[in-house]
Amino acid sequence: MAGDLSNPPREDRRALEGECVAFGQKLLREGHPEEALTFFKRMARLFPESPAICAGRGEAYLARGDRARALESFQRSGELGRGSGRGGGSC
């Protein structure tokens, strides 16, 4: 179905994912870690297998000073980047 946003083509999802990561990183650069964290958490629901979204969430946690959650996010990002299904979870 044309215009169905619930299941866009793979290349469109990749482009959207990249734009989301860039926007979250912009929030961090501009000094808005709370907003960035909220944004990355929401994007993790849309892109549950995205290493970049997980890493962005880790950066937001780190910017807030939450090293433990940052580490968890970075580790999960690495697992997803290697294609590990360990835990069967998502970002």
Side-chain angles (χ1 to χ4, degrees), residues 24-55:
Q25 289 174 338
K26 181 177 188 254
L27 288 171
L28 286 170
R29 279 193 312 275
E30 292 178 354
H32 304 286
E34 293 296 330
E35 291 87 347
L37 180 59
T38 298
F39 180 75
F40 279 120
K41 284 180 176 180
R42 288 181 181 158
M43 292 306 97
R45 284 185 248 143
L46 293 175
F47 302 98
E49 297 178 5
S50 170
I53 296 288
C54 283

Side-chain angles (χ1 to χ4, degrees), residues 11-84:
E11 57 275 3
D12 290 348
R13 275 187 71 79
R14 280 203 187 129
L16 180 58
E17 177 186 352
E19 290 176 24
C20 290
V21 170
F23 180 74
Q25 289 174 338
K26 181 177 188 254
L27 288 171
L28 286 170
R29 279 193 312 275
E30 292 178 354
H32 304 286
E34 293 296 330
E35 291 87 347
L37 180 59
T38 298
F39 180 75
F40 279 120
K41 284 180 176 180
R42 288 181 181 158
M43 292 306 97
R45 284 185 248 143
L46 293 175
F47 302 98
E49 297 178 5
S50 170
I53 296 288
C54 283
R57 187 178 60 191
E59 291 173 25
Y61 276 127
L62 196 57
R64 290 180 57 225
D66 190 340
R67 294 171 54 100
R69 286 192 175 149
L71 181 59
E72 289 174 14
S73 291
F74 292 138
Q75 287 173 334
R76 185 61 186 146
S77 174
E79 291 170 1
L80 289 170
R82 289 188 302 274
S84 170

